[in-house]
Amino acid sequence: MVTEVLGIDRFGNIQLAARPEDVAHLGDPVRLILPSGAVVAHRASSFADIRQGQVGLVVDSWGMIALAMDSASAAALLGLAAGDQVELDR
């Protein structure tokens, strides 16, 4: 599935234009195909459950899918900005 980056919050979490039901069929882990290359993300039930050094795929407070990291900016690591395209795959 291809989606768009809607925005980046002050912590560097990346909100995608995708809802949980849009990505439910992908399982875990999820491969992210970015303009800069491919990265693996792991599903997490909350931001606190994201492991150190991993990219987490989590539902944010708006009910949208977000890419996040523990104590780091996912946006900086992944080089993403609002409007960028992200492909999520198995």
Side-chain angles (χ1 to χ4, degrees), residues 38-86:
V39 174
V40 173
H42 295 273
R43 291 181 185 270
S45 57
S46 69
F47 287 95
D49 291 335
I50 299 170
R51 291 184 178 180
Q52 185 74 28
Q54 286 187 339
V55 176
L57 192 74
V58 65
V59 179
D60 69 12
S61 61
W62 293 95
M64 304 300 282
I65 296 296
L67 303 175
M69 295 187 73
D70 178 46
S71 303
S73 169
L77 175 78
L78 302 176
L80 292 172
D84 286 345
Q85 297 273 311
V86 176

